[in-house]
Amino acid sequence: KELRRVDSARKDMEYFYGEGWEEKIKPSGATQRYVARIQEVARDNPKLLIGHQYTRYLGDLFGGQMMGGMATKSLGLSDGKGIDFYKFNDIDD
């Protein structure tokens, strides 16, 4: 539960694009191909995704702390808005 990012990503998307962002923003072709490949591997040989999942979460969890700070500074964000994806409030330091 502590590592799930969907709700955080949705909150950030709404911050940047407003209500109804799901209808305004469409995944790029590259993103669509990436998702299709993940779904294909998950269906055909899901064990291959263990390394991918580990790397994603390791990068999001540890690199995310740095990325959240960088995004705040470079995008001029305030009050911690727009960086919920990089916050892991349910994990003790």
Side-chain angles (χ1 to χ4, degrees), residues 46-90:
K47 290 183 276 186
L48 293 177
L49 292 177
I50 293 171
H52 178 271
Q53 184 179 20
Y54 174 80
T55 302
R56 284 287 329 170
Y57 277 111
L58 186 65
D60 292 343
L61 183 58
F62 296 109
Q65 294 174 14
M66 181 178 62
M67 293 298 295
M70 290 171 51
T72 297
K73 186 175 180 179
S74 65
L75 297 174
L77 303 174
S78 61
D79 301 327
K81 295 187 178 185
I83 58 166
D84 278 273
F85 184 83
Y86 299 114
K87 295 178 186 174
F88 294 85
N89 296 328
D90 295 330

Side-chain angles (χ1 to χ4, degrees), residues 38 40-51:
I38 293 294
E40 177 186 353
V41 173
R43 181 189 66 239
D44 296 343
N45 198 350
K47 290 183 276 186
L48 293 177
L49 292 177
I50 293 171

Side-chain angles (χ1 to χ4, degrees), residues 4-43:
R4 294 188 180 169
R5 312 305 325 134
V6 173
D7 289 340
S8 298
R10 285 185 176 135
K11 190 173 179 181
D12 289 343
M13 293 296 284
E14 187 168 326
Y15 172 77
F16 286 110
Y17 297 103
E19 286 186 40
W21 64 266
E22 300 95 331
E23 301 302 318
K24 300 174 192 174
I25 306 300
K26 300 298 178 197
S28 67
T31 299
Q32 291 174 23
R33 289 187 299 276
Y34 172 78
V35 169
R37 179 66 177 145
I38 293 294
Q39 291 172 336
E40 177 186 353
V41 173
R43 181 189 66 239

